[in-house]
Amino acid sequence: MASAAKRREWREHPNARGHMALMLLHFHDGFLEASEALVAAAEARASAASLRRHFSPLSSSLHHHHSIEEAVLFPLLCELSGSGNTDSLEADHVELHAAIEGVKTALAGDSSDEHRARIAVFDEVLRRHLAAEEDFSVPLMLSLSASELQRRLHH
């Protein structure tokens, strides 16, 4: 996740009020909170069934979030950045999907050590990806007013 100072700066940006960039940060905060709860449950040696109940909504939400980013947000970010390149963020999505599958595989078994290990990998990949995505996306998004961003996303 981006530093607290960066996030504060983004939230205080002149374009921030009602901006989709803040919604993105809010979603990311929710993913991180859910991942922290999952890690804590795994560290407490919760059952596989309990961990699956924690993980299922998180993995499903991430899937939908990534689908929207790749279909709607990333093309605009490519245009705004001038680089035409969100390949590293899309590669992160692939890596995160693999980590999600690793957790699902581990949770099909009863090894709490494997649960903790796979969940730790997932959490690390998620945190790294969200930080990179925020550092790239939020400044570009805030370069447009909230209404201009909405208009360009829907064209």
Side-chain angles (χ1 to χ4, degrees):
M1 177 161 56
S3 71
K6 252 191 222 179
R7 285 174 144 245
R8 188 171 36 260
E9 180 183 321
W10 293 334
R11 283 183 165 80
E12 294 170 359
H13 189 280
N15 285 341
R17 184 174 172 84
H19 205 285
M20 188 176 160
L22 299 186
M23 187 169 47
L24 179 76
L25 294 173
H26 179 72
F27 286 139
H28 286 186
D29 289 343
F31 296 145
L32 291 170
E33 288 174 19
S35 188
E36 286 172 11
L38 180 67
V39 168
E43 290 296 326
R45 297 187 178 275
S47 69
S50 176
L51 292 171
R52 282 192 299 272
R53 282 191 300 276
H54 277 83
F55 189 65
S56 181
L58 174 58
S59 65
S60 178
S61 295
L62 283 166
H63 169 74
H64 294 295
H65 178 78
H66 291 161
S67 296
I68 292 166
E69 285 178 337
E70 291 176 8
V72 179
L73 182 60
F74 287 0
L76 177 60
L77 294 176
C78 286
E79 180 185 325
L80 292 174
S81 71
S83 72
N85 191 343
T86 55
D87 291 350
S88 66
L89 296 177
E90 291 181 42
D92 284 355
H93 286 178
V94 171
E95 183 181 8
L96 192 52
H97 178 74
I100 288 168
E101 291 305 311
V103 171
K104 288 179 180 178
T105 298
L107 295 180
D110 291 323
S111 169
S112 58
D113 290 339
E114 186 67 14
H115 300 162
R116 283 194 321 274
R118 294 292 185 120
I119 288 169
V121 168
F122 163 79
D123 184 67
E124 189 274 324
V125 171
L126 176 66
R127 288 176 184 285
R128 186 179 68 240
H129 167 66
L130 295 180
E133 188 171 273
E134 290 173 7
D135 284 344
F136 180 75
S137 303
V138 174
L140 290 170
M141 293 169 75
L142 288 172
S143 72
L144 301 174
S145 68
S147 60
E148 178 64 10
L149 179 65
Q150 288 295 332
R151 186 186 70 72
R152 290 184 65 179
L153 284 171
H154 295 292
H155 274 104

